[in-house]
Amino acid sequence: MPETVRMACPAGRKHVELWSGYTLFVLAVLTVVLDPAHWANIVLGLLLALLGAALIVHGHRIQAPVMEFDTEEFRYTLGHYSVSVVLEEIGSYHVLPGRTRSLGLRDNTGRPMRFPSLHNRRTARSYLPLTGMTDPGRVEMFMAAAGIPPRDRSLTQH
């Protein structure tokens, strides 16, 4: 049975929303418990609890991208969206910088690989979105373990 290597990208927004939601929920409980006789504290506590609950629910719904490979194929999953590519078809990769990093894959001829859109749009995309907190060094180590070389960005041959 082939061993699967997996890398989950960190989702900072998920952690922020969860921590904020739980903090607001605790603050709501404290607001009502400290002075339950005044109607303004009860209303404020109720509003804080509703806002905290909304943040907690939304935070739990955020999904982080997961990349994995085994001896035969590379897989990328983000919620219900999934891409599988045979490892032998991938020639190189590059990590696109920016607020939300992305992974671009190239075929053996150097052309960008095209993937279906994430949100059921008609266009195809040539990159797979990661998260802003994804360390490019971890992606490089993961791709090196898969045996996929980085794309040479220089225009001259050495």
Side-chain angles (χ1 to χ4, degrees), residues 72-75 83-87 89-90 105 113 115:
E72 299 170 358
E73 70 179 357
F74 170 84
R75 287 177 298 282
V83 171
S84 295
V85 180
V86 177
L87 278 176
E89 294 177 4
I90 302 174
L105 297 177
M113 297 181 94
F115 306 104

Side-chain angles (χ1 to χ4, degrees), residues 24-43:
L24 284 176
F25 202 75
V26 168
L27 188 62
V29 170
L30 288 176
T31 302
V32 173
V33 168
L34 291 179
D35 190 13
H38 199 273
W39 66 270
N41 284 345
I42 295 173
V43 171

